[in-house]
């Protein structure tokens, strides 16, 4: 088949047991289903061999993160279209043809996502992707249907097909040749923001990114790293700055980065006033790491022009 659904798993046996059957049932007619295991120690690979022999398994030796794990796994998949799917996602009948139709209609569209709804409350959008992603003037990502931590009720206000700035790695169909031409994910990001970085690079290559409401999936969210995790805060703040330096094409890049750092300080103070000192500390750690990487990021920025 020319389409492959690739689920990256790391110690997510519970999610596989819960959601893989629906993926297999709703995908096998249209795509290969592959689980790329990121060095799990919870018996995931043995369970897959025993319970789902129809699913192909790519067993990686260690946890390479979301970005590195997908890069390693997708290098071993020769399908023309790749669907990146989180393990904590429930899919619907016809979801793959709906995504494929959007790319078939527009040969300059590199990737697209469906409507992402919450598995816990199917009337609401889910944080990771919602109805398509954008970047604000300060370089912060946001989605239609979600601003910061607030998600909207789905009242069909985003029932459309349209171009967006980025689509979510929770459920993304991408052309494999474009993914590889763009260099795949930036493995140094490890996890979080890597799909935004990829979409930004593909856009700068002249490709378009899309969203379609002709199908939807239901995402638990935070399956590998919970939304309240300080580690997630660290990765989000660190990676957002790295992605901005690499991709923003502005003569005022220095001022934009300085403004972002000031805004992030206010975010850290907000964490403190809310009693989340551990998250405030992770914002500080993210900035220390970012400043240490800045010379290398500037060199990469020059190379990507």
């Amino acid at each position: 088949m020319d389409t492959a659904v690739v689920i990256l798993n790391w110690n997510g046996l519970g999610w596989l047991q819960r959601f893989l059957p629906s993926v297999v049932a709703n995908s096998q007619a249209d795509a290969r289903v592959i689980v790329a295991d990121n060095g799990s120690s919870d018996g995931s690979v043995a369970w897959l061999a025993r319970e789902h022999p129809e699913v192909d398994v790519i067993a990686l030796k260690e946890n390479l993160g979301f970005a590195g794990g997908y890069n390693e796994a997708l290098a071993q998949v020769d399908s023309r279209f790749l669907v990146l799917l989180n393990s904590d996602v429930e899919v619907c009948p016809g979801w793959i043809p709906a995504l494929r139709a959007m790319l078939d209609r527009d040969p300059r569209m590199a990737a697209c996502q469906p409507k992402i709804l919450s598995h816990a409350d199917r009337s609401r959008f889910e944080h990771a992707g919602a109805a398509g992603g954008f970047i604000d003037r300060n370089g912060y990502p946001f989605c239609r249907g979600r601003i910061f931590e607030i998600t909207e009720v789905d009242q069909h206000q985003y029932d459309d097909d349209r171009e967006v700035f980025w689509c979510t790695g929770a459920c993304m169909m991408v052309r494999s040749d474009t993914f590889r031409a763009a260099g795949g994910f930036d493995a140094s990001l490890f996890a979080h923001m890597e799909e935004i970085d990829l979409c930004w690079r593909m856009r700068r290559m002249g490709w378009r990114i899309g969203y379609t409401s002709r199908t939807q999936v239901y995402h638990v969210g935070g399956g590998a790293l919970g939304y309240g995790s300080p580690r997630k805060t660290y990765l989000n703040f660190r990676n957002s700055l790295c992605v901005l330096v690499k991709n923003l094409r502005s003569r005022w890049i220095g001022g934009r980065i300085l403004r972002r750092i000031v805004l992030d300080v206010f975010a850290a103070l907000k964490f403190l006033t809310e009693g989340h000192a551990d998250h405030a500390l992770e914002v500080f750690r993210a900035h220390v790491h970012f400043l240490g990487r800045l010379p290398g990021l500037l060199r990469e920025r020059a190379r990507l022009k």
Side-chain angles (χ1 to χ4, degrees):
M1 291 184 177
D2 67 351
T3 303
V5 176
V6 185
I7 300 170
L8 189 68
N9 173 65
W10 179 65
N11 289 336
L13 177 58
W15 299 121
L16 293 176
Q17 291 172 331
R18 185 175 177 186
F19 292 111
L20 185 60
S22 82
V23 175
V24 171
N26 292 309
S27 308
Q28 274 194 311
D30 306 298
R32 296 170 59 199
V33 178
I34 302 169
V35 172
D37 186 78
N38 230 347
S40 294
S41 59
D42 66 348
S44 293
V45 173
W47 178 83
L48 287 164
R50 184 175 65 252
E51 301 294 334
H52 287 281
E54 75 281 10
V55 172
D56 295 331
V57 176
I58 298 173
L60 306 177
K61 294 181 179 180
E62 59 182 318
N63 181 13
L64 301 174
F66 187 96
Y70 261 125
N71 284 348
E72 184 74 17
L74 297 181
Q76 303 177 48
V77 180
D78 60 3
S79 299
R80 289 179 56 216
F81 297 90
L82 305 168
V83 183
L84 282 55
L85 184 70
N86 279 12
S87 60
D88 60 343
V89 173
E90 179 184 337
V91 301
C92 301
W95 70 294
I96 291 176
L99 293 173
R100 175 67 182 273
M102 187 171 206
L103 298 189
D104 286 343
R105 286 194 301 270
D106 186 347
R108 293 306 301 167
M109 186 162 285
C112 65
Q113 71 160 75
K115 181 187 290 187
I116 312 287
L117 298 175
S118 168
H119 190 270
D121 182 353
R122 296 181 180 226
S123 69
R124 305 192 75 90
F125 288 96
E126 209 280 318
H127 183 274
F134 296 87
I135 299 286
D136 72 14
R137 65 193 299 264
N138 296 310
Y140 289 109
F142 68 97
C143 303
R144 294 192 306 167
R146 183 266 291 176
I147 299 292
F148 297 111
E149 305 305 317
I150 307 301
T151 58
E152 298 177 22
V153 173
D154 177 19
Q155 298 177 318
H156 307 290
Q157 66 270 43
Y158 304 120
D159 280 3
D160 56 10
D161 288 3
R162 63 158 295 165
E163 184 175 1
V164 294
F165 195 93
W166 57 271
C167 57
T168 177
C171 183
M172 168 199 295
M173 178 177 280
V174 61
R175 299 180 191 272
S176 61
D177 55 353
T178 309
F179 178 87
R180 294 180 178 116
F185 290 125
D186 180 349
S188 71
L189 298 177
F190 192 78
H192 297 295
M193 305 285 178
E194 69 288 317
E195 75 267 56
I196 299 175
D197 176 61
L198 173 67
C199 289
W200 205 332
R201 282 184 278 123
M202 292 192 297
R203 285 174 57 86
R204 286 183 22 244
M205 292 167 63
W207 292 91
R208 303 173 67 219
I209 309 298
Y211 159 85
T212 179
S213 62
R214 301 190 189 200
T215 189
Q216 64 278 326
V217 300
Y218 301 95
H219 186 208
V220 173
L225 199 60
Y227 285 136
S229 165
R231 173 68 172 168
K232 184 183 287 284
T233 295
Y234 168 77
L235 290 170
N236 278 330
F237 277 84
R238 183 196 73 176
N239 291 351
S240 180
L241 286 166
C242 293
V243 169
L244 194 61
V245 169
K246 285 174 55 182
N247 294 290
L248 180 64
R249 292 301 176 258
S250 168
R251 53 193 272 180
W252 309 111
I253 181 67
R256 297 286 284 276
I257 295 299
L258 181 59
R259 181 167 63 184
R260 266 299 302 275
I261 291 174
V262 171
L263 291 171
D264 285 359
V265 169
F266 281 106
L269 291 173
K270 182 174 184 291
F271 280 130
L272 280 174
T273 61
E274 293 173 346
H276 301 300
D278 50 349
H279 288 265
L281 177 60
E282 293 305 318
V283 175
F284 173 75
R285 289 185 60 245
H287 283 77
V288 170
H289 179 100
F290 164 72
L291 292 172
R293 280 196 62 193
L294 187 55
L297 289 167
L298 292 173
R299 289 192 295 270
E300 186 171 1
R301 171 186 171 83
R303 180 181 62 82
L304 290 174
K305 281 186 177 179

